Amino acid sequence: MNKQFNPGLLVREGLKELVPYAEVTYPEVVRLNANENPYDFPGEVRQAINEMLNPQSFTRYPDAMARQLVRELARLHGVEAGRIMVGNGSDELILDLMLTFGAGNRVVIAVPTFSMYGIHARVAGAEIVEIPRRLDFDLDVPEIIRAGRKAALVVLCSPNNPTGNSATLEQVQSLLDNCPCPVVVDQAYVEFGGPDFLPLLNKYPNLVLLRTFSKAYGLAGLRVGYLFACPQVLNYLFKVKQPFNLNTFSQLAALTVLQHRDIFAGQVSEIIRQRDDLYNAMQQMPDVEALPSEANYLMFKTAYPAEDVFSGLLAGGVLVRSFGDPLLAQYLRVSVGRPEENMIFLRSLRQVITVLGEKD
């Protein structure tokens, strides 16, 4: 045994403080914590995916550039194929961006937001500058611009996870005009609402847009993300991309989903309708305040400690999202589920509020 071996001495300080991601599993609960598409994957689409497989789909390496999927994305979005890159979920693309532009440089992140931006930035060894959103969670554009003038990357989410609000066209244009670096706008939830910033792509070479198949298209289990950027930016991203980053099955599944997108458009419409009904119902509850949302979830707070509400809901068989972020200490987030799941959540929330009110 080599008693001198101590891996901790070889790891930089920025990594030592990171806590590995590990999802806690709760059996037999209504899962409204991960912003997934709540509906079962359509049987006819599953069958179509199976029909696309061939005897070598599993034995040969996948197309490293996912050219068939990229061509279909280009056709649907009216974007040149040379402006698209696909990845193993948006997470891989975020990490690629951080490794390419953020490593050893400043990365500006509008917070509170999706925690993986900061985690991937730390993995890449970037200097992170967090710009708090305003009290209503709107972007503080002047402060982002101030910090962004000396940054290598600016990152924001629209609609923002977890707050549900979107940036405006004017805000994003202002950032693009004044930040001499790539401005990444994560639009993972754009199918559910908010401005689509894709029309800005030709005008602004520093715009990078992230998209995913995990939410509206129900492929969270297969991990497929994609981004739009100018060819000069993609040239550098391809230098750090893993050679066979998106497996064959995921490529075929994503392509098939796009060919049946009308089915998923119907699901999205229903999720939006359910979201609005859920918001209206929560607004009518005493001691509950839900924030308007343009995504497939609602962030809310109550008159009682968030951890008590979370625990009460969990005891009632409903799992929502709690946060370790001090900026969100009062808040919880609930994903929009199927109608029966939303009713279970509302009933459980009413019960929890009643019980906590009686103890108060």
Side-chain angles (χ1 to χ4, degrees):
M1 179 182 294
N2 187 342
K3 296 182 179 180
Q4 294 180 323
F5 176 63
N6 184 348
L9 297 176
L10 307 175
V11 175
R12 55 187 167 83
E13 291 301 320
L15 277 183
K16 290 180 182 179
E17 63 191 29
L18 277 181
V19 177
Y21 182 86
E23 184 180 12
V24 179
T25 57
Y26 298 92
E28 299 180 5
V29 294
V30 176
R31 290 181 43 162
L32 300 178
N33 65 316
N35 301 342
E36 299 150 322
N37 184 322
Y39 295 101
D40 291 340
F41 198 76
E44 63 187 281
V45 184
R46 292 204 314 271
Q47 180 61 33
I49 294 170
N50 289 335
E51 291 173 357
M52 292 186 71
L53 298 172
N54 64 59
Q56 293 190 331
S57 294
F58 298 105
T59 60
R60 302 295 185 180
Y61 284 109
D63 178 358
M65 303 302 289
R67 285 168 290 190
Q68 194 175 4
L69 175 57
V70 166
R71 283 196 298 269
E72 184 66 8
L73 286 168
R75 185 184 71 81
L76 290 177
H77 291 286
V79 175
E80 299 169 12
R83 292 174 175 264
I84 301 173
M85 175 178 171
V86 299
N88 186 17
S90 295
D91 271 317
E92 184 195 22
L93 299 173
I94 295 166
L95 179 58
D96 285 345
L97 285 160
M98 296 299 176
L99 291 171
T100 303
F101 297 100
N105 295 321
R106 172 183 288 188
V107 173
V108 176
I109 304 173
V111 295
T113 193
F114 184 42
S115 62
M116 294 309 296
Y117 307 141
I119 291 173
H120 287 314
R122 286 179 174 85
V123 170
E127 174 200 350
I128 301 169
V129 177
E130 295 183 340
I131 304 299
R133 289 170 174 261
R134 301 184 189 278
L135 291 178
D136 60 356
F137 298 114
D138 195 14
L139 293 171
D140 190 338
V141 173
E143 282 300 303
I144 296 174
I145 290 173
R146 182 191 60 77
R149 290 197 175 107
K150 295 182 179 180
L153 206 62
V154 171
V155 184
L156 60 136
C157 188
S158 180
N160 185 46
N161 178 15
T163 58
N165 60 317
S166 298
T168 67
L169 182 66
E170 293 75 19
Q171 287 175 327
V172 172
Q173 285 181 307
S174 182
L175 294 174
L176 291 165
D177 283 329
N178 292 283
C179 296
C181 65
V183 175
V184 180
V185 184
D186 187 347
Q187 297 221 273
Y189 301 95
V190 72
E191 289 88 357
F192 302 101
D196 182 347
F197 300 116
L198 190 57
L200 299 177
L201 192 64
N202 286 331
K203 182 179 179 181
Y204 292 98
N206 57 331
L207 175 62
V208 178
L209 293 173
L210 287 168
R211 300 286 178 91
T212 184
F213 282 83
S214 295
K215 310 302 179 183
Y217 290 117
L219 287 183
L222 297 188
R223 313 303 298 126
V224 185
Y226 59 106
L227 63 74
F228 301 106
C230 74
Q232 295 93 324
V233 168
L234 287 183
N235 177 59
Y236 291 105
L237 290 175
F238 283 128
K239 293 176 185 290
V240 302
K241 182 187 84 68
Q242 292 296 303
F244 301 106
N245 61 325
L246 190 59
N247 69 75
T248 297
F249 190 83
S250 291
Q251 290 186 33
L252 292 177
L255 179 63
T256 307
V257 160
L258 292 178
Q259 294 168 347
H260 294 78
R261 61 192 180 280
D262 56 323
I263 296 175
F264 296 92
Q267 291 182 351
V268 167
S269 296
E270 178 60 18
I271 290 169
I272 291 171
R273 189 179 73 80
Q274 289 292 324
R275 176 197 68 199
D276 294 342
D277 288 348
L278 192 59
Y279 172 78
N280 291 332
M282 293 174 72
Q283 286 297 84
Q284 293 172 16
M285 288 187 189
D287 299 324
V288 175
E289 179 187 345
L291 275 64
S293 173
E294 294 186 297
N296 65 336
Y297 50 83
L298 293 167
M299 195 167 78
F300 68 99
K301 65 180 179 179
T302 75
Y304 308 101
E307 60 266 28
D308 292 346
V309 178
F310 175 85
S311 298
L313 288 169
L314 188 58
V318 179
L319 178 61
V320 297
R321 180 74 163 88
S322 61
F323 306 102
D325 188 338
L327 296 173
L328 299 171
Q330 298 176 281
Y331 291 92
L332 297 169
R333 188 194 68 203
V334 59
S335 305
V336 179
R338 299 189 299 272
E340 61 273 21
E341 293 174 324
N342 297 333
M343 292 303 296
I344 293 170
F345 162 74
L346 289 171
R347 184 169 62 247
S348 182
L349 181 61
R350 289 190 187 98
Q351 292 172 347
V352 170
I353 295 300
T354 298
V355 169
L356 291 175
E358 291 172 352
K359 291 180 179 179
D360 196 23

